[in-house]
Amino acid sequence: MSAKHCSLILVCLYCLPFISPWSMAEKPTQKNSENLQRNTRLQPYLGTHRTYPSPRAIPTEPAGCQLLHINHLGRHGSRYPIELDDVLALVNEYEGLVGARPLTKAGSQLRVDIHRMADWLRNNPTLIAQLTEKGINEEQALGQRAARMLRPETRNSQQLSIATGTSQTDRTQHSLRMFQEGLSRELGDNMHVIVRPVMPAKKMAELLTPFFHCPRLDRVLKPLAKSATADYIANLSHSHPEVATRFADHLIPGLSDAKVIRLAINLFQLCRIENPLDRSFGICNTFTDWTSDDSWLGLVQWLGDVANHIYYYNMGPAIVMEDIQSSMGMPILRHFLDTTDAAARDESDVRAHFRFAHDSTLSPLLQSIGIIKTRGMEEERYLSWNTSRQLPMAANLYWQLYECREGLKVRMLMNEKVEPFPFPPCSKQELCDWREVKQHYKHADYQDRMGKACSVDEHNIQPLTSSTHEAEPSASGNMI
């Protein structure tokens, strides 16, 4: 193109009337407001794919106390799906349910929306398993709020020492960088932050990915969990709500009860995948917009419970898992105890330990601590298991060590909300005496317990078949 033609194009562009970006943007409407409200009401049922429920405010420093140390374990922020093949398998399952059946107008649009999401993910392979913009924003905001926790500790200093560590995945390392960015921004330029590794990277990764170092989990217990999950889903045909049939008829009329359940679960899985993304393809809207009343909420409550059960059998305290999860959390709990005790004894100048890993790292720790119950009947254990509340994207656990007038105290936060230690006399108190915490978790077999629980008798174990591998959750414990 000649210079003359370029100049003519520029002149023409400058001749165009100015259009305000506000006039081009979609104006807020009552419909948009209703959609936002419904999406907010949907979030508590999306389990591990729920975006982080940021608190309105973080707990303030207790009166008469001064912060000495923070211990932290966080899950990575909101992410794209871990495996594209998992998404495509769900799309294929959906197409199998559709078959040659006629679709309603809503069903036809949903089919287009599902393939739009699949095609978009297929055309952006570099995004797979990475943080979304939502995830980046979550971690930056978490870092800023962590700085506010630490600010009283730094009031008489211009230097702060922290220790950090992650598992060896891009999304956890990216989460740490964004968290540190928010932390430094909030602390300001006058604060010099010294960052040290918690421990050598390889050793840190081993601590934060116990599921990679537990042969018995893969070779014995996961097949049992798979069988328990299949039995649970098979029994749903006797108990699914009538609203599920109405929902299916809204999309693909005339499905059998078994296929109604499969369709509802399949579409809910696709909605969960869509939820952390930075753009909407309309799949979750299928659940929130198909009725004018609140009957849709009963459907997603039921589906949320189904998803919660699936995770319960695979990474929760289900009896079939034989307490393997809490055993895998013991080394991380030991590290929390050791680093907190070093701060209590004033043996370290590190004021905070920040670790980033996965839901399948945080869940074993919550079970080791006792927040998630690992004793009693199946129903009692399940009542303490809530992935939406405990393991959303960017989930986190804090131990805050304080020097108070009455001595050293610890406060535990789960997702930045006070979570009392689950034993008397601390179970009804915000602060727990550090000596009580140490005494309660004083075990001689922290490292040995995981080793014993994860060992297998090679003579009595059959090799895993390829089909077992195909049906298993991803390595980080996330079931699509």
Side-chain angles (χ1 to χ4, degrees):
M1 184 182 295
S2 69
K4 179 179 179 181
H5 285 124
C6 288
S7 62
L8 285 172
I9 291 172
L10 288 172
V11 169
C12 291
L13 288 173
Y14 279 116
C15 290
L16 289 173
F18 173 73
I19 301 175
S20 166
W22 299 109
S23 65
M24 294 166 54
E26 182 180 357
K27 294 180 180 179
T29 64
Q30 183 179 355
K31 179 67 174 176
N32 292 338
S33 176
E34 290 174 358
N35 286 344
L36 182 61
Q37 290 176 7
R38 288 191 171 206
N39 182 266
T40 300
R41 297 174 72 188
L42 172 67
Q43 292 299 317
Y45 307 104
L46 295 178
T48 57
H49 288 62
R50 180 186 189 181
T51 52
Y52 186 67
S54 299
R56 294 181 181 273
I58 58 174
T60 57
E61 186 174 81
C65 299
Q66 181 176 347
L67 183 69
L68 296 180
H69 181 261
I70 284 177
N71 245 318
H72 161 275
L73 174 64
R75 184 190 180 193
H76 57 75
S78 290
R79 54 154 175 81
Y80 293 96
I82 293 176
E83 296 285 351
L84 177 60
D85 286 348
D86 293 330
V87 180
L88 300 181
L90 285 171
V91 175
N92 289 337
E93 181 187 28
Y94 164 78
E95 286 296 338
L97 290 166
V98 171
R101 295 178 179 85
L103 301 175
T104 64
K105 182 179 178 181
S108 296
Q109 182 59 54
L110 174 61
R111 191 179 198 178
V112 171
D113 294 338
I114 288 171
H115 282 279
R116 278 199 308 124
M117 184 175 78
D119 290 343
W120 187 81
L121 290 169
R122 188 187 288 112
N123 293 332
N124 292 275
T126 59
L127 297 179
I128 297 300
Q130 304 299 312
L131 292 190
T132 61
E133 284 297 321
K134 288 180 182 178
I136 290 171
N137 293 335
E138 287 165 349
E139 295 299 353
Q140 288 176 334
L142 280 161
Q144 289 179 295
R145 292 194 292 272
R148 292 172 205 152
M149 294 180 194
L150 286 164
R151 186 165 284 141
E153 161 67 16
T154 61
R155 55 191 150 209
N156 298 319
S157 174
Q158 292 184 323
Q159 182 171 295
L160 174 69
S161 292
I162 65 173
T164 64
T166 74
S167 67
Q168 293 179 321
T169 64
D170 288 346
R171 60 187 177 276
T172 55
Q173 293 166 358
H174 194 186
S175 293
L176 172 59
R177 292 195 301 273
M178 294 302 97
F179 182 91
Q180 285 183 226
E181 185 177 293
L183 181 83
S184 298
R185 183 189 306 157
E186 186 70 18
L187 289 173
D189 295 336
N190 293 330
M191 177 60 62
H192 177 51
V193 180
I194 301 172
V195 182
R196 307 171 183 173
V198 172
M199 59 180 67
K202 184 177 180 181
K203 190 176 180 182
M204 185 81 255
E206 290 178 0
L207 180 70
L208 296 179
T209 53
F211 41 86
F212 282 144
H213 310 284
C214 190
R216 189 161 177 266
L217 175 66
D218 281 329
R219 301 182 63 184
V220 179
L221 298 178
K222 279 188 177 180
L224 295 176
K226 176 187 173 185
S227 177
T229 303
D231 291 343
Y232 166 76
I233 292 176
N235 288 328
L236 290 177
S237 59
H238 307 298
S239 61
H240 72 283
E242 180 271 338
V243 69
T245 301
R246 289 197 288 119
F247 173 71
D249 284 343
H250 174 70
L251 303 168
I252 313 174
L255 291 178
S256 66
D257 284 352
K259 288 187 177 180
V260 163
I261 293 169
R262 285 179 57 198
L263 177 70
I265 293 175
N266 174 279
L267 295 179
F268 196 63
Q269 299 280 52
L270 288 166
C271 165
R272 281 158 44 90
I273 290 169
E274 178 193 40
N275 188 61
L277 305 183
D278 296 319
R279 57 186 298 178
S280 171
F281 294 92
I283 300 171
C284 287
N285 291 346
T286 303
F287 286 94
T288 59
D289 292 356
W290 70 282
T291 61
S292 57
D293 59 18
D294 277 354
S295 59
W296 67 271
L297 198 56
L299 175 64
V300 299
Q301 286 172 341
W302 176 70
L303 287 168
D305 186 58
V306 170
N308 202 50
H309 267 95
I310 292 172
Y311 276 76
Y312 172 76
Y313 288 117
N314 286 275
M315 55 186 283
I319 291 174
V320 71
M321 294 299 276
E322 299 181 8
D323 208 21
I324 193 72
Q325 296 288 338
S326 64
S327 296
M328 291 195 299
M330 283 296 179
I332 306 170
L333 175 57
R334 176 77 266 166
H335 199 253
F336 262 63
L337 289 164
D338 289 346
T339 48
T340 303
D341 200 44
R345 296 172 180 273
D346 199 21
E347 296 174 351
S348 170
D349 64 344
V350 174
R351 291 295 171 247
H353 285 77
F354 296 114
R355 312 164 185 83
F356 286 85
H358 310 272
D359 54 358
S360 46
T361 311
L362 191 54
S363 174
L365 178 60
L366 297 180
Q367 292 178 59
S368 295
I369 291 172
I371 295 172
I372 297 170
K373 307 302 181 188
T374 59
R375 296 289 183 271
M377 302 297 289
E378 202 82 85
E379 295 80 6
E380 184 181 356
R381 297 177 184 218
Y382 183 72
L383 284 174
S384 72
W385 174 256
N386 186 323
T387 52
S388 287
R389 187 176 75 87
Q390 296 155 343
L391 301 170
M393 297 292 181
N396 52 82
L397 184 81
Y398 282 97
W399 282 11
Q400 299 170 321
L401 177 67
Y402 289 100
E403 185 174 30
C404 305
R405 285 189 288 264
E406 303 83 7
L408 294 175
K409 305 284 185 179
V410 185
R411 180 169 69 180
M412 181 161 60
L413 307 180
M414 186 171 68
N415 297 328
E416 302 175 285
K417 296 179 181 178
V418 173
E419 180 75 24
F421 281 90
F423 56 84
C426 300
S427 54
K428 296 184 179 180
Q429 302 171 1
E430 180 174 329
L431 295 172
C432 186
D433 190 284
W434 171 234
R435 291 171 299 181
E436 296 277 1
V437 175
K438 283 204 302 181
Q439 181 62 33
H440 182 78
Y441 296 116
K442 184 179 180 181
H443 299 289
D445 64 344
Y446 280 103
Q447 304 294 337
D448 290 345
R449 181 172 162 184
M450 178 178 167
K452 292 174 182 177
C454 288
S455 64
V456 295
D457 183 350
E458 296 292 339
H459 297 291
N460 295 324
I461 301 299
Q462 297 297 320
L464 284 177
T465 64
S466 58
S467 60
T468 303
H469 277 299
E470 290 167 5
E472 291 301 321
S474 60
S476 66
N478 296 286
M479 279 144 285
I480 298 299

